[in-house]
Amino acid sequence: MTIAAPSPSVRSSARDPIFDELGFPTDPDNLYTQTVGTMINAANTINMRHRVKIILAQPKNEVMVHFPVRMDDGHHRLFKGYRVQHNNACGPYKGGIRYHHDVHLDDVKSLALLMTVKCALMRLPLGGGKGGVKCDPKSMSAGEIERVTRRFTAAIMNEIGPDYDVPAPDVNTNAQIMAWIADTYMSSVNAQSANDGLRVVTGKPIDMGGSLGREKATGQGVVDCLLEMLPGLGIVKDTSGFQGLRISIQGFGNVGSWAGRILEKKHGSKVVAVQDHTGYIVNENGFDTEALAEHVRQNGGIAGFEKAKGNTPGIGGTLVSEEEFYKTPVDVFIPAALEQMIKERQARWLNAKVMIEGANAPSTPEGDAILGERGITVIPAVLANAGGVTVSYFEWVQNKSCHYWTEETVDAELNRTMCMAARRTLVCKEKYRVDMRSAAYCASLEHLAKVYELRGIFP
């Protein structure tokens, strides 16, 4: 008989011995310690062997580089960059590169571990990695961003490769930045052919070997996951119940805007509340999400959209406070911004039946615990936002085969992959009698445990 571990969303008072064995910091607010704690709790639930737990508790490689870049005014500035390669037992390292002023090593390590878990849950032949550059791209010119990108690529040139470590876009990076990485790699001695340059990154522009459907993939995956899981959770009877479903979204960048647009335009849901770094707006009639996305593209945030034709249906909105935003009654809340934004206060305010994580690790352990106590179902990021890496894998396959798929094929394969992962999660939820986050980790770690059982530990 398997005894279920406590929910990883509740911080345990007892520190697992593995943390001391591996010399982890004692700070309970350390994001990497929290992420590993979630993994260890799930590993204990499935009775994973100790040797596999300690392997998964630390990345295989942590690369930190410093590199100078000439700025537009002629002076040179030193930048710090990271590439963390967590695990490649199932295949090449895979994970995005983010540009953000608050990038830190432990954050990148956490995201790399989550990529390992995510790829294993989706049963992709990939491992987990992540990278980042500590910078503020919003204050930089396009030329400066290009020079940072090319110089960072040169600095980690020997750490990436089309069959070893394949980066992708993440926060504040996009298809253009992937094109610069591919071109820089293609121009180096590492690239044996033009195809190596194309295959070394995913999320590229369509004209440079990118995949149709990649831009919307993470948001599409969130929607596919909702369509698969909400009927079973009793929120709707079937997919026709998405008509009029009330949605709130935190963060209206790539993930949040695509999820909102697909839910509104294709399924008839109402996006009634939106938040980003520029403010909070509510429209009980539901926003015109295409108009809001265009406003964000032109203005860098949702601020000012409330002045767009007042409160007419689908347009404009009303400025509200942070508390009013979270207390707006909705069926589904989609956090799609940065990590650790749903703290204890926000979790107590949230008026939603389901939270589906479009962002990685959007809540703190305290916030997660309160959501559980209040009966708000959390669909975790390792399942919900895996659409991005899944379509990145499809792009990599297309680059390797030199055969490109239609958008309909991409969407169909993504839906199939997301649905299968959702079902694995639900099976583990019943099997181990745990919450959804623990179940997703268990479904992933079962696969990784089997891989290590087959491979053994060299030598």
Side-chain angles (χ1 to χ4, degrees), residues 60-123:
K60 288 189 72 172
N61 304 305
E62 302 172 23
V63 179
M64 181 189 302
V65 295
H66 295 89
F67 53 94
V69 175
R70 178 178 54 80
M71 309 306 284
D72 287 347
D73 63 5
H75 86 282
H76 282 76
R77 179 178 162 194
L78 194 67
F79 288 85
K80 183 191 293 284
Y82 304 95
R83 188 65 185 173
V84 172
Q85 297 160 334
H86 178 261
N87 190 275
N88 63 349
C90 295
Y93 303 108
K94 189 80 186 77
I97 292 174
R98 61 175 51 188
Y99 289 176
H100 196 269
H101 63 86
D102 200 29
V103 167
H104 297 288
L105 179 59
D106 278 348
D107 296 341
V108 179
K109 287 169 62 177
S110 299
L111 294 166
L113 188 160
L114 289 172
M115 284 301 300
T116 296
V117 174
K118 195 178 300 183
C119 290
L121 175 61
M122 306 306 289
R123 300 299 191 262

Short mmCIF file of all heavy atoms in Angstrom, two decimals, residues 60-123:
data_model
loop_
_atom_site.label_atom_id
_atom_site.label_comp_id
_atom_site.label_asym_id
_atom_site.label_seq_id
_atom_site.Cartn_x
_atom_site.Cartn_y
_atom_site.Cartn_z
N LYS A 60 22.90 19.00 -13.62
CA LYS A 60 24.17 18.40 -14.05
C LYS A 60 25.22 19.48 -14.28
O LYS A 60 26.39 19.31 -13.92
CB LYS A 60 23.98 17.60 -15.34
CG LYS A 60 23.22 16.30 -15.17
CD LYS A 60 23.26 15.45 -16.42
CE LYS A 60 24.63 14.83 -16.65
NZ LYS A 60 24.63 13.86 -17.76
N ASN A 61 24.82 20.59 -14.88
CA ASN A 61 25.77 21.66 -15.21
C ASN A 61 25.16 23.02 -14.94
O ASN A 61 23.98 23.25 -15.25
CB ASN A 61 26.16 21.59 -16.70
CG ASN A 61 26.74 20.25 -17.09
OD1 ASN A 61 27.70 19.78 -16.49
ND2 ASN A 61 26.14 19.62 -18.10
N GLU A 62 25.95 23.91 -14.38
CA GLU A 62 25.55 25.30 -14.16
C GLU A 62 26.62 26.19 -14.79
O GLU A 62 27.75 26.22 -14.34
CB GLU A 62 25.43 25.62 -12.67
CG GLU A 62 24.44 24.73 -11.92
CD GLU A 62 24.49 24.94 -10.42
OE1 GLU A 62 24.93 26.04 -9.98
OE2 GLU A 62 24.13 24.03 -9.68
N VAL A 63 26.24 26.92 -15.83
CA VAL A 63 27.18 27.77 -16.56
C VAL A 63 26.84 29.23 -16.29
O VAL A 63 25.69 29.65 -16.46
CB VAL A 63 27.13 27.49 -18.07
CG1 VAL A 63 28.09 28.40 -18.82
CG2 VAL A 63 27.43 26.02 -18.36
N MET A 64 27.85 30.00 -15.84
CA MET A 64 27.68 31.43 -15.64
C MET A 64 28.75 32.15 -16.44
O MET A 64 29.92 31.77 -16.39
CB MET A 64 27.81 31.80 -14.15
CG MET A 64 27.60 33.28 -13.86
SD MET A 64 28.02 33.72 -12.14
CE MET A 64 26.92 32.65 -11.24
N VAL A 65 28.34 33.15 -17.21
CA VAL A 65 29.30 33.87 -18.05
C VAL A 65 29.14 35.37 -17.84
O VAL A 65 28.05 35.86 -17.49
CB VAL A 65 29.11 33.54 -19.54
CG1 VAL A 65 29.43 32.08 -19.82
CG2 VAL A 65 27.70 33.87 -20.03
N HIS A 66 30.24 36.10 -18.02
CA HIS A 66 30.21 37.55 -18.04
C HIS A 66 30.77 38.00 -19.39
O HIS A 66 31.81 37.49 -19.81
CB HIS A 66 31.04 38.14 -16.90
CG HIS A 66 30.50 37.83 -15.55
ND1 HIS A 66 30.83 36.70 -14.85
CD2 HIS A 66 29.60 38.50 -14.78
CE1 HIS A 66 30.19 36.67 -13.69
NE2 HIS A 66 29.43 37.75 -13.63
N PHE A 67 30.11 38.93 -20.04
CA PHE A 67 30.55 39.32 -21.38
C PHE A 67 30.29 40.81 -21.61
O PHE A 67 29.27 41.35 -21.20
CB PHE A 67 29.83 38.48 -22.45
CG PHE A 67 28.33 38.49 -22.35
CD1 PHE A 67 27.57 39.39 -23.09
CD2 PHE A 67 27.66 37.60 -21.51
CE1 PHE A 67 26.19 39.40 -23.00
CE2 PHE A 67 26.27 37.60 -21.42
CZ PHE A 67 25.53 38.50 -22.16
N PRO A 68 31.25 41.49 -22.25
CA PRO A 68 31.09 42.92 -22.52
C PRO A 68 30.31 43.18 -23.80
O PRO A 68 30.42 42.43 -24.77
CB PRO A 68 32.55 43.40 -22.66
CG PRO A 68 33.26 42.21 -23.23
CD PRO A 68 32.57 40.99 -22.66
N VAL A 69 29.53 44.24 -23.80
CA VAL A 69 28.76 44.62 -24.98
C VAL A 69 28.87 46.14 -25.16
O VAL A 69 28.72 46.89 -24.19
CB VAL A 69 27.28 44.22 -24.84
CG1 VAL A 69 26.47 44.74 -26.03
CG2 VAL A 69 27.13 42.71 -24.73
N ARG A 70 29.15 46.56 -26.39
CA ARG A 70 29.20 48.00 -26.68
C ARG A 70 27.77 48.54 -26.77
O ARG A 70 26.95 48.05 -27.54
CB ARG A 70 29.95 48.24 -27.99
CG ARG A 70 30.01 49.72 -28.39
CD ARG A 70 30.80 49.92 -29.67
NE ARG A 70 30.29 49.08 -30.75
CZ ARG A 70 29.20 49.38 -31.48
NH1 ARG A 70 28.51 50.49 -31.23
NH2 ARG A 70 28.80 48.57 -32.45
N MET A 71 27.49 49.57 -25.99
CA MET A 71 26.18 50.18 -26.00
C MET A 71 26.12 51.29 -27.05
O MET A 71 27.15 51.67 -27.63
CB MET A 71 25.85 50.73 -24.60
CG MET A 71 26.04 49.71 -23.48
SD MET A 71 25.14 48.15 -23.74
CE MET A 71 23.47 48.68 -23.33
N ASP A 72 24.94 51.82 -27.29
CA ASP A 72 24.76 52.81 -28.34
C ASP A 72 25.58 54.08 -28.11
O ASP A 72 25.97 54.76 -29.08
CB ASP A 72 23.28 53.18 -28.47
CG ASP A 72 22.46 52.08 -29.13
OD1 ASP A 72 23.06 51.14 -29.70
OD2 ASP A 72 21.21 52.13 -29.05
N ASP A 73 25.83 54.43 -26.85
CA ASP A 73 26.59 55.66 -26.58
C ASP A 73 28.10 55.45 -26.65
O ASP A 73 28.88 56.36 -26.37
CB ASP A 73 26.20 56.24 -25.21
CG ASP A 73 26.53 55.30 -24.05
OD1 ASP A 73 27.15 54.24 -24.27
OD2 ASP A 73 26.17 55.65 -22.90
N GLY A 74 28.52 54.23 -27.02
CA GLY A 74 29.95 53.97 -27.21
C GLY A 74 30.65 53.30 -26.05
O GLY A 74 31.73 52.73 -26.22
N HIS A 75 30.05 53.34 -24.85
CA HIS A 75 30.73 52.70 -23.72
C HIS A 75 30.39 51.21 -23.69
O HIS A 75 29.41 50.77 -24.29
CB HIS A 75 30.35 53.37 -22.40
CG HIS A 75 29.09 52.84 -21.77
ND1 HIS A 75 27.83 53.19 -22.20
CD2 HIS A 75 28.89 51.97 -20.73
CE1 HIS A 75 26.92 52.58 -21.47
NE2 HIS A 75 27.52 51.82 -20.57
N HIS A 76 31.22 50.43 -23.00
CA HIS A 76 30.99 49.00 -22.88
C HIS A 76 30.42 48.67 -21.50
O HIS A 76 30.86 49.22 -20.49
CB HIS A 76 32.29 48.21 -23.10
CG HIS A 76 32.66 48.09 -24.54
ND1 HIS A 76 33.20 49.14 -25.26
CD2 HIS A 76 32.54 47.06 -25.42
CE1 HIS A 76 33.42 48.77 -26.51
NE2 HIS A 76 33.03 47.50 -26.63
N ARG A 77 29.46 47.77 -21.52
CA ARG A 77 28.81 47.35 -20.27
C ARG A 77 28.99 45.84 -20.12
O ARG A 77 28.91 45.09 -21.11
CB ARG A 77 27.33 47.70 -20.31
CG ARG A 77 26.54 47.29 -19.08
CD ARG A 77 25.10 47.73 -19.22
NE ARG A 77 24.22 47.02 -18.29
CZ ARG A 77 22.91 46.99 -18.37
NH1 ARG A 77 22.30 47.66 -19.35
NH2 ARG A 77 22.19 46.32 -17.50
N LEU A 78 29.23 45.39 -18.88
CA LEU A 78 29.43 43.97 -18.62
C LEU A 78 28.10 43.33 -18.22
O LEU A 78 27.43 43.80 -17.30
CB LEU A 78 30.46 43.76 -17.52
CG LEU A 78 31.01 42.33 -17.38
CD1 LEU A 78 31.85 41.96 -18.60
CD2 LEU A 78 31.83 42.19 -16.11
N PHE A 79 27.73 42.27 -18.91
CA PHE A 79 26.48 41.56 -18.64
C PHE A 79 26.77 40.19 -18.04
O PHE A 79 27.83 39.60 -18.30
CB PHE A 79 25.67 41.38 -19.93
CG PHE A 79 25.05 42.65 -20.44
CD1 PHE A 79 25.78 43.51 -21.25
CD2 PHE A 79 23.75 42.99 -20.11
CE1 PHE A 79 25.22 44.68 -21.73
CE2 PHE A 79 23.17 44.16 -20.58
CZ PHE A 79 23.91 45.00 -21.39
N LYS A 80 25.82 39.69 -17.25
CA LYS A 80 25.91 38.35 -16.66
C LYS A 80 24.86 37.46 -17.32
O LYS A 80 23.70 37.86 -17.47
CB LYS A 80 25.65 38.41 -15.16
CG LYS A 80 25.79 37.05 -14.44
CD LYS A 80 25.27 37.12 -13.00
CE LYS A 80 26.14 38.01 -12.13
NZ LYS A 80 27.41 37.34 -11.76
N GLY A 81 25.28 36.26 -17.72
CA GLY A 81 24.36 35.32 -18.33
C GLY A 81 24.47 33.94 -17.72
O GLY A 81 25.50 33.60 -17.10
N TYR A 82 23.41 33.14 -17.86
CA TYR A 82 23.37 31.80 -17.28
C TYR A 82 22.85 30.80 -18.31
O TYR A 82 22.01 31.12 -19.15
CB TYR A 82 22.40 31.75 -16.08
CG TYR A 82 22.67 32.74 -14.98
CD1 TYR A 82 22.01 33.96 -14.94
CD2 TYR A 82 23.57 32.44 -13.95
CE1 TYR A 82 22.23 34.86 -13.92
CE2 TYR A 82 23.80 33.34 -12.91
CZ TYR A 82 23.13 34.54 -12.91
OH TYR A 82 23.35 35.44 -11.89
N ARG A 83 23.35 29.58 -18.22
CA ARG A 83 22.72 28.43 -18.88
C ARG A 83 22.84 27.26 -17.92
O ARG A 83 23.96 26.82 -17.59
CB ARG A 83 23.40 28.09 -20.21
CG ARG A 83 22.64 27.00 -21.01
CD ARG A 83 21.28 27.47 -21.46
NE ARG A 83 20.49 26.41 -22.12
CZ ARG A 83 19.22 26.55 -22.47
NH1 ARG A 83 18.58 27.70 -22.24
NH2 ARG A 83 18.56 25.55 -23.05
N VAL A 84 21.70 26.79 -17.43
CA VAL A 84 21.67 25.67 -16.49
C VAL A 84 21.11 24.46 -17.23
O VAL A 84 20.04 24.52 -17.85
CB VAL A 84 20.80 26.00 -15.26
CG1 VAL A 84 20.61 24.76 -14.39
CG2 VAL A 84 21.44 27.12 -14.46
N GLN A 85 21.84 23.35 -17.16
CA GLN A 85 21.43 22.10 -17.79
C GLN A 85 21.11 21.11 -16.67
O GLN A 85 22.01 20.57 -16.04
CB GLN A 85 22.55 21.59 -18.69
CG GLN A 85 22.84 22.55 -19.84
CD GLN A 85 24.20 22.36 -20.48
OE1 GLN A 85 25.13 21.87 -19.84
NE2 GLN A 85 24.33 22.76 -21.73
N HIS A 86 19.82 20.92 -16.44
CA HIS A 86 19.42 20.14 -15.27
C HIS A 86 19.57 18.64 -15.47
O HIS A 86 20.18 17.96 -14.65
CB HIS A 86 17.97 20.47 -14.88
CG HIS A 86 17.49 19.66 -13.72
ND1 HIS A 86 16.71 18.52 -13.88
CD2 HIS A 86 17.72 19.78 -12.39
CE1 HIS A 86 16.47 17.99 -12.70
NE2 HIS A 86 17.05 18.74 -11.78
N ASN A 87 18.99 18.11 -16.54
CA ASN A 87 19.00 16.66 -16.71
C ASN A 87 18.78 16.31 -18.18
O ASN A 87 17.97 16.94 -18.85
CB ASN A 87 17.89 16.02 -15.86
CG ASN A 87 17.98 14.52 -15.81
OD1 ASN A 87 17.48 13.83 -16.68
ND2 ASN A 87 18.65 13.99 -14.79
N ASN A 88 19.53 15.31 -18.67
CA ASN A 88 19.36 14.88 -20.06
C ASN A 88 19.19 13.36 -20.17
O ASN A 88 19.56 12.76 -21.18
CB ASN A 88 20.52 15.36 -20.94
CG ASN A 88 21.86 14.77 -20.52
OD1 ASN A 88 21.98 14.15 -19.45
ND2 ASN A 88 22.87 14.94 -21.36
N ALA A 89 18.62 12.75 -19.13
CA ALA A 89 18.41 11.30 -19.16
C ALA A 89 17.45 10.88 -20.27
O ALA A 89 17.56 9.78 -20.81
CB ALA A 89 17.89 10.81 -17.81
N CYS A 90 16.51 11.75 -20.63
CA CYS A 90 15.52 11.41 -21.65
C CYS A 90 15.84 11.99 -23.01
O CYS A 90 15.17 11.65 -24.00
CB CYS A 90 14.14 11.90 -21.22
SG CYS A 90 13.50 11.09 -19.74
N GLY A 91 16.83 12.87 -23.10
CA GLY A 91 17.16 13.48 -24.38
C GLY A 91 17.88 14.79 -24.17
O GLY A 91 18.23 15.16 -23.05
N PRO A 92 18.14 15.54 -25.26
CA PRO A 92 18.87 16.80 -25.16
C PRO A 92 18.22 17.78 -24.18
O PRO A 92 17.00 17.79 -24.01
CB PRO A 92 18.82 17.34 -26.60
CG PRO A 92 18.59 16.15 -27.46
CD PRO A 92 17.76 15.22 -26.64
N TYR A 93 19.05 18.61 -23.56
CA TYR A 93 18.53 19.66 -22.70
C TYR A 93 17.64 20.59 -23.54
O TYR A 93 17.93 20.89 -24.69
CB TYR A 93 19.66 20.49 -22.10
CG TYR A 93 20.66 19.69 -21.30
CD1 TYR A 93 21.95 19.46 -21.80
CD2 TYR A 93 20.33 19.18 -20.04
CE1 TYR A 93 22.88 18.75 -21.06
CE2 TYR A 93 21.26 18.46 -19.30
CZ TYR A 93 22.53 18.24 -19.82
OH TYR A 93 23.45 17.53 -19.10
N LYS A 94 16.55 21.05 -22.95
CA LYS A 94 15.61 21.92 -23.67
C LYS A 94 15.05 22.95 -22.72
O LYS A 94 14.61 22.60 -21.61
CB LYS A 94 14.46 21.09 -24.25
CG LYS A 94 13.57 21.89 -25.20
CD LYS A 94 14.20 21.98 -26.56
CE LYS A 94 13.42 22.90 -27.49
NZ LYS A 94 13.65 24.33 -27.22
N GLY A 95 15.07 24.20 -23.12
CA GLY A 95 14.49 25.23 -22.26
C GLY A 95 14.81 26.62 -22.76
O GLY A 95 15.78 26.84 -23.49
N GLY A 96 13.99 27.57 -22.35
CA GLY A 96 14.07 28.93 -22.87
C GLY A 96 15.21 29.75 -22.31
O GLY A 96 15.90 29.38 -21.37
N ILE A 97 15.37 30.91 -22.93
CA ILE A 97 16.30 31.95 -22.47
C ILE A 97 15.48 33.19 -22.22
O ILE A 97 14.73 33.64 -23.08
CB ILE A 97 17.39 32.23 -23.51
CG1 ILE A 97 18.33 31.02 -23.63
CG2 ILE A 97 18.18 33.49 -23.16
CD1 ILE A 97 19.36 31.15 -24.74
N ARG A 98 15.62 33.76 -21.01
CA ARG A 98 14.88 34.97 -20.69
C ARG A 98 15.83 36.14 -20.50
O ARG A 98 16.97 35.98 -20.07
CB ARG A 98 14.02 34.78 -19.44
CG ARG A 98 14.78 34.46 -18.16
CD ARG A 98 13.85 34.40 -16.94
NE ARG A 98 12.70 33.54 -17.17
CZ ARG A 98 11.67 33.44 -16.31
NH1 ARG A 98 11.69 34.14 -15.17
NH2 ARG A 98 10.67 32.64 -16.57
N TYR A 99 15.35 37.34 -20.82
CA TYR A 99 16.06 38.59 -20.57
C TYR A 99 15.26 39.35 -19.51
O TYR A 99 14.11 39.74 -19.76
CB TYR A 99 16.16 39.44 -21.83
CG TYR A 99 17.10 38.91 -22.90
CD1 TYR A 99 17.20 39.57 -24.12
CD2 TYR A 99 17.88 37.78 -22.70
CE1 TYR A 99 18.05 39.11 -25.12
CE2 TYR A 99 18.72 37.29 -23.68
CZ TYR A 99 18.81 37.97 -24.89
OH TYR A 99 19.64 37.50 -25.88
N HIS A 100 15.85 39.55 -18.35
CA HIS A 100 15.13 40.23 -17.27
C HIS A 100 16.14 40.79 -16.28
O HIS A 100 17.19 40.18 -16.04
CB HIS A 100 14.18 39.26 -16.57
CG HIS A 100 13.14 39.92 -15.73
ND1 HIS A 100 13.32 40.20 -14.39
CD2 HIS A 100 11.89 40.38 -16.04
CE1 HIS A 100 12.24 40.79 -13.91
NE2 HIS A 100 11.36 40.91 -14.89
N HIS A 101 15.79 41.94 -15.70
CA HIS A 101 16.73 42.59 -14.78
C HIS A 101 16.88 41.83 -13.46
O HIS A 101 17.83 42.06 -12.71
CB HIS A 101 16.26 44.02 -14.48
CG HIS A 101 14.92 44.08 -13.80
ND1 HIS A 101 14.78 43.99 -12.44
CD2 HIS A 101 13.66 44.23 -14.31
CE1 HIS A 101 13.50 44.07 -12.12
NE2 HIS A 101 12.79 44.21 -13.23
N ASP A 102 15.97 40.88 -13.20
CA ASP A 102 16.01 40.16 -11.92
C ASP A 102 16.32 38.67 -12.12
O ASP A 102 15.88 37.83 -11.35
CB ASP A 102 14.66 40.32 -11.20
CG ASP A 102 14.79 40.04 -9.70
OD1 ASP A 102 15.88 40.26 -9.15
OD2 ASP A 102 13.79 39.60 -9.10
N VAL A 103 17.09 38.33 -13.15
CA VAL A 103 17.49 36.95 -13.37
C VAL A 103 18.57 36.57 -12.35
O VAL A 103 19.56 37.28 -12.18
CB VAL A 103 18.04 36.76 -14.81
CG1 VAL A 103 18.75 35.41 -14.95
CG2 VAL A 103 16.91 36.85 -15.81
N HIS A 104 18.36 35.44 -11.66
CA HIS A 104 19.33 34.93 -10.69
C HIS A 104 19.55 33.44 -10.93
O HIS A 104 18.70 32.75 -11.49
CB HIS A 104 18.84 35.15 -9.25
CG HIS A 104 18.70 36.59 -8.87
ND1 HIS A 104 19.77 37.43 -8.66
CD2 HIS A 104 17.58 37.36 -8.69
CE1 HIS A 104 19.34 38.64 -8.35
NE2 HIS A 104 18.01 38.62 -8.36
N LEU A 105 20.69 32.94 -10.44
CA LEU A 105 21.04 31.55 -10.69
C LEU A 105 20.00 30.58 -10.13
O LEU A 105 19.59 29.64 -10.82
CB LEU A 105 22.42 31.23 -10.08
CG LEU A 105 22.90 29.78 -10.25
CD1 LEU A 105 22.99 29.39 -11.72
CD2 LEU A 105 24.25 29.59 -9.55
N ASP A 106 19.55 30.79 -8.90
CA ASP A 106 18.60 29.85 -8.31
C ASP A 106 17.27 29.84 -9.06
O ASP A 106 16.61 28.80 -9.16
CB ASP A 106 18.36 30.16 -6.83
CG ASP A 106 19.46 29.57 -5.95
OD1 ASP A 106 20.24 28.75 -6.45
OD2 ASP A 106 19.52 29.93 -4.76
N ASP A 107 16.87 31.00 -9.59
CA ASP A 107 15.65 31.04 -10.39
C ASP A 107 15.82 30.22 -11.66
O ASP A 107 14.93 29.46 -12.05
CB ASP A 107 15.31 32.49 -10.76
CG ASP A 107 15.00 33.34 -9.55
OD1 ASP A 107 14.69 32.77 -8.49
OD2 ASP A 107 15.06 34.57 -9.66
N VAL A 108 16.96 30.37 -12.32
CA VAL A 108 17.21 29.62 -13.55
C VAL A 108 17.30 28.13 -13.25
O VAL A 108 16.79 27.29 -14.02
CB VAL A 108 18.49 30.14 -14.24
CG1 VAL A 108 18.77 29.36 -15.52
CG2 VAL A 108 18.37 31.63 -14.57
N LYS A 109 17.92 27.77 -12.13
CA LYS A 109 17.98 26.35 -11.74
C LYS A 109 16.57 25.79 -11.52
O LYS A 109 16.27 24.66 -11.93
CB LYS A 109 18.80 26.20 -10.45
CG LYS A 109 20.29 26.38 -10.64
CD LYS A 109 21.04 26.50 -9.32
CE LYS A 109 20.91 25.27 -8.46
NZ LYS A 109 21.70 25.38 -7.20
N SER A 110 15.72 26.57 -10.88
CA SER A 110 14.34 26.12 -10.64
C SER A 110 13.61 25.86 -11.95
O SER A 110 12.94 24.85 -12.12
CB SER A 110 13.58 27.17 -9.82
OG SER A 110 14.17 27.37 -8.57
N LEU A 111 13.75 26.80 -12.88
CA LEU A 111 13.07 26.67 -14.16
C LEU A 111 13.62 25.50 -14.97
O LEU A 111 12.88 24.84 -15.70
CB LEU A 111 13.19 27.99 -14.94
CG LEU A 111 12.47 29.18 -14.28
CD1 LEU A 111 12.93 30.49 -14.92
CD2 LEU A 111 10.97 29.04 -14.39
N ALA A 112 14.92 25.23 -14.84
CA ALA A 112 15.51 24.09 -15.55
C ALA A 112 14.96 22.78 -14.99
O ALA A 112 14.66 21.84 -15.75
CB ALA A 112 17.03 24.13 -15.42
N LEU A 113 14.82 22.69 -13.67
CA LEU A 113 14.24 21.48 -13.07
C LEU A 113 12.79 21.30 -13.53
O LEU A 113 12.37 20.19 -13.88
CB LEU A 113 14.30 21.58 -11.54
CG LEU A 113 13.91 20.34 -10.73
CD1 LEU A 113 14.50 20.42 -9.32
CD2 LEU A 113 12.41 20.14 -10.61
N LEU A 114 12.04 22.40 -13.55
CA LEU A 114 10.65 22.32 -14.01
C LEU A 114 10.58 21.84 -15.46
O LEU A 114 9.65 21.12 -15.83
CB LEU A 114 9.98 23.68 -13.87
CG LEU A 114 9.69 24.15 -12.44
CD1 LEU A 114 9.19 25.59 -12.43
CD2 LEU A 114 8.68 23.24 -11.76
N MET A 115 11.56 22.22 -16.27
CA MET A 115 11.58 21.75 -17.66
C MET A 115 11.81 20.25 -17.73
O MET A 115 11.22 19.55 -18.56
CB MET A 115 12.65 22.49 -18.46
CG MET A 115 12.28 23.91 -18.84
SD MET A 115 10.77 24.03 -19.83
CE MET A 115 11.24 23.07 -21.25
N THR A 116 12.67 19.72 -16.86
CA THR A 116 12.87 18.26 -16.82
C THR A 116 11.56 17.56 -16.48
O THR A 116 11.17 16.59 -17.14
CB THR A 116 13.94 17.90 -15.77
OG1 THR A 116 15.21 18.44 -16.17
CG2 THR A 116 14.08 16.40 -15.62
N VAL A 117 10.88 18.06 -15.45
CA VAL A 117 9.61 17.46 -15.02
C VAL A 117 8.57 17.58 -16.13
O VAL A 117 7.83 16.64 -16.44
CB VAL A 117 9.12 18.13 -13.73
CG1 VAL A 117 7.73 17.63 -13.34
CG2 VAL A 117 10.11 17.89 -12.59
N LYS A 118 8.51 18.75 -16.76
CA LYS A 118 7.52 19.02 -17.80
C LYS A 118 7.72 18.10 -19.00
O LYS A 118 6.76 17.50 -19.50
CB LYS A 118 7.65 20.49 -18.22
CG LYS A 118 6.53 21.06 -19.02
CD LYS A 118 6.77 22.53 -19.30
CE LYS A 118 6.89 23.36 -18.05
NZ LYS A 118 7.07 24.80 -18.34
N CYS A 119 8.95 17.99 -19.48
CA CYS A 119 9.22 17.15 -20.66
C CYS A 119 8.92 15.68 -20.37
O CYS A 119 8.40 14.97 -21.23
CB CYS A 119 10.67 17.32 -21.11
SG CYS A 119 11.02 18.94 -21.85
N ALA A 120 9.24 15.24 -19.15
CA ALA A 120 8.96 13.84 -18.79
C ALA A 120 7.45 13.60 -18.69
O ALA A 120 6.95 12.55 -19.10
CB ALA A 120 9.65 13.49 -17.48
N LEU A 121 6.71 14.57 -18.14
CA LEU A 121 5.26 14.44 -18.05
C LEU A 121 4.63 14.34 -19.44
O LEU A 121 3.71 13.55 -19.67
CB LEU A 121 4.67 15.62 -17.29
CG LEU A 121 3.14 15.70 -17.20
CD1 LEU A 121 2.57 14.48 -16.49
CD2 LEU A 121 2.70 16.99 -16.50
N MET A 122 5.16 15.14 -20.38
CA MET A 122 4.61 15.14 -21.74
C MET A 122 5.14 13.97 -22.57
O MET A 122 4.70 13.77 -23.70
CB MET A 122 4.96 16.46 -22.45
CG MET A 122 4.55 17.72 -21.70
SD MET A 122 2.81 17.76 -21.22
CE MET A 122 2.04 18.01 -22.80
N ARG A 123 6.09 13.22 -22.00
CA ARG A 123 6.75 12.09 -22.68
C ARG A 123 7.48 12.56 -23.94
O ARG A 123 7.53 11.85 -24.95
CB ARG A 123 5.76 10.98 -23.03
CG ARG A 123 5.04 10.39 -21.82
CD ARG A 123 5.99 9.75 -20.82
NE ARG A 123 5.26 8.98 -19.81
CZ ARG A 123 4.93 9.42 -18.59
NH1 ARG A 123 5.26 10.66 -18.24
NH2 ARG A 123 4.30 8.64 -17.75
#
